[in-house]
Amino acid sequence: MQPLTHWFEKRDPAPPAPPPSSAAQRRQRVSTLDATLVVLLAGDETALRPWRRRGYNVLPRAEAEEAVPGTVAFACALPGCCDLASAGARWWAKKRKKNPNFQTEVVDALKETEAALIATGAPYLLLTPAAPILKRLWKAPKLKISPHEYGGYLPPAAAHPRYSEAIPNQDAYQKRTYVYSGNGLVLPQRKPVPPVWVSMTSKKTGKTKNVAPMFAKRRYRGAQRAAPLGFMEGVAQCNARTLAGGV
């Protein structure tokens, strides 16, 4: 994750501004309700397709500095946290020998990212894998979700735009995720669909267990980091509006 820039720094409240005398001043006084931008600080831009469909423009972190304060309607980050999630636990001992602070550094980066989200002044969302260590090193999430719990926000025939082979239609898979949010973001109600399972047999123990499809094959590793699109659609339905040119 990149360090914060001046655009994200908090400032003391300024005195009331006089009536705007230029287009630039008018843009600076645009309220969140009139905002047309959404900011992605980390993660896959696919997560913000529901906002694009409604006419919003998406800014990646590299362009966020150019956004005029007050023009951002929503900010989110979906950083990878394999150094915290239990799926990467087998490598922790080796990583700890190399860097005893590797996990606290990841948590520090998450804190910094949330601070950047808060500083936009817009409703924000930060998603991480459901890693219990976060509760000890940082704080408990506002909510714990699984993609299948929000699959009802997607059409039944909705295939994933990037990982259709690994992710079932309607996000019908189980993967625990932590939700951190604030600045007035409204979280959607659950609309669950039954999760799809794949049976896997361990070569070591011979035991069979059910897992989500993207965990069944190594080549689906990218799908394991995919955003929960049903949940993101629900967030957009609760917080976005259709702008001119939106669908």
Side-chain angles (χ1 to χ4, degrees):
M1 299 178 186
Q2 300 297 320
L4 297 185
T5 66
H6 69 276
W7 187 79
F8 296 116
E9 293 175 359
K10 289 187 175 180
R11 296 174 172 83
D12 294 331
S21 58
S22 69
Q25 288 176 313
R26 286 195 294 273
R27 286 196 299 272
Q28 290 179 354
R29 298 187 64 191
V30 173
S31 69
T32 300
L33 290 177
D34 296 323
T36 60
L37 302 175
V38 289
V39 171
L40 180 67
L41 298 193
D44 182 2
E45 193 176 307
T46 304
L48 295 182
R49 285 191 177 189
W51 293 80
R52 279 195 182 278
R53 288 198 307 270
R54 290 168 170 84
Y56 289 81
N57 294 318
V58 177
L59 291 184
R61 187 167 192 153
E63 299 177 9
E65 289 182 56
E66 301 176 9
V68 176
T71 62
V72 179
F74 173 65
C76 77
L78 302 91
C81 300
C82 60
D83 286 338
L84 301 176
S86 58
R90 72 183 81 173
W91 296 287
W92 288 358
K94 184 177 180 179
K95 290 182 177 181
R96 193 169 286 113
K97 287 183 179 179
K98 187 175 181 180
N99 177 11
N101 300 316
F102 79 100
Q103 288 181 316
T104 56
E105 289 175 359
V106 173
V107 173
D108 287 344
L110 287 174
K111 293 177 181 178
E112 183 179 331
T113 296
E114 187 185 46
L117 292 167
I118 292 171
T120 66
Y124 75 86
L125 179 69
L126 171 64
L127 299 184
T128 74
I133 194 172
L134 275 173
K135 297 179 182 179
R136 177 168 58 85
L137 296 181
W138 188 22
K139 62 181 178 180
K142 181 167 289 186
L143 191 66
K144 184 168 72 171
I145 66 168
S146 175
H148 81 279
E149 296 173 335
Y150 297 85
Y153 285 97
L154 302 174
H160 195 279
R162 295 188 62 189
Y163 303 109
S164 58
E165 292 184 1
I167 295 180
N169 290 5
Q170 288 189 292
D171 273 0
Y173 68 98
Q174 188 175 67
K175 178 179 179 289
R176 293 301 175 186
T177 300
Y178 282 172
V179 176
Y180 299 90
S181 63
N183 283 357
L185 185 78
V186 178
L187 295 172
Q189 297 292 317
R190 286 178 168 84
K191 291 187 178 182
V193 297
V196 173
W197 301 101
V198 174
S199 295
M200 285 188 62
T201 301
S202 171
K203 294 180 179 179
K204 284 187 177 181
T205 65
K207 293 182 179 180
T208 299
K209 63 179 180 178
N210 292 329
V211 298
M214 72 285 304
F215 295 106
K217 298 182 179 181
R218 186 179 295 273
R219 71 173 186 268
Y220 293 159
R221 188 174 300 173
Q224 297 173 18
R225 297 187 289 270
L229 299 187
F231 177 73
M232 298 304 296
E233 172 62 32
V235 168
Q237 287 187 18
C238 291
N239 297 274
R241 58 195 180 91
T242 301
L243 305 177
V247 179

